[in-house]
Amino acid sequence: MSVDNDALVRAFVEAFNTKDADRLLPFLHADVVFRNYGDDEIRGRDALLEMWRNVFRTFERIEFETVHQAVNGDVVIAEQVHGLALPGGPTAPVMNMAVYEIHDGRIAAWRDYTNPVHARTLLS
């Protein structure tokens, strides 16, 4: 079965807007490795879904948007805006660059590059 990696990643990013970690599950390889710039690496789908459950509980609103996206075979690079709002706060537009590696039709490696200091400033 042929996989459209562009559509796969776009649908994955859209799923974040539901704030339901279970919606992310079908997109992730069982052995996915996630690296968020400045944080420890997370290995495995279950650990990654648990991390996102915690994030979804923390933020009142999550609005992810893809600005630009480029695909080269099994590698997808996406410029994104992560709209995040803490309870009672405004939505902060956090710019992000993500790199996804697709294996067997699922995301097997995912690296996010965001300026964490600037993100904290926007959220305060």
Side-chain angles (χ1 to χ4, degrees):
M1 177 173 96
S2 176
V3 175
D4 180 346
N5 292 334
D6 182 71
L8 174 88
V9 170
R10 288 180 187 278
F12 177 64
V13 172
E14 269 300 306
F16 282 87
N17 297 329
T18 68
K19 290 183 59 179
D20 179 358
D22 292 333
R23 296 277 308 269
L24 307 177
L25 182 120
F27 298 97
L28 299 171
H29 193 281
D31 299 320
V32 64
V33 177
F34 175 67
R35 179 73 186 191
N36 189 29
Y37 178 75
D39 292 336
D40 291 335
E41 187 175 89
I42 297 174
R43 293 184 160 273
R45 182 172 50 210
D46 293 340
L48 184 54
L49 290 174
E50 185 57 31
M51 191 257 338
W52 280 107
R53 283 184 189 96
N54 291 330
V55 171
F56 293 156
R57 282 191 289 268
T58 300
F59 289 97
E60 184 174 68
R61 281 187 313 284
I62 294 181
E63 302 163 358
F64 285 10
E65 172 190 359
T66 299
V67 179
H68 296 102
Q69 187 161 289
V71 180
N72 185 4
D74 288 335
V75 176
V76 179
I77 299 173
E79 177 186 10
Q80 302 163 340
V81 177
H82 293 177
L84 303 170
L86 292 167
T91 301
V94 178
M95 295 301 297
N96 184 68
M97 185 65 87
V99 178
Y100 304 92
E101 294 178 29
I102 314 300
H103 296 283
D104 301 324
R106 294 181 183 225
I107 297 167
W110 168 20
R111 295 176 297 282
D112 267 356
Y113 300 95
T114 301
N115 180 332
V117 174
H118 185 64
R120 280 191 294 278
T121 301
L122 290 172
L123 287 164
S124 58

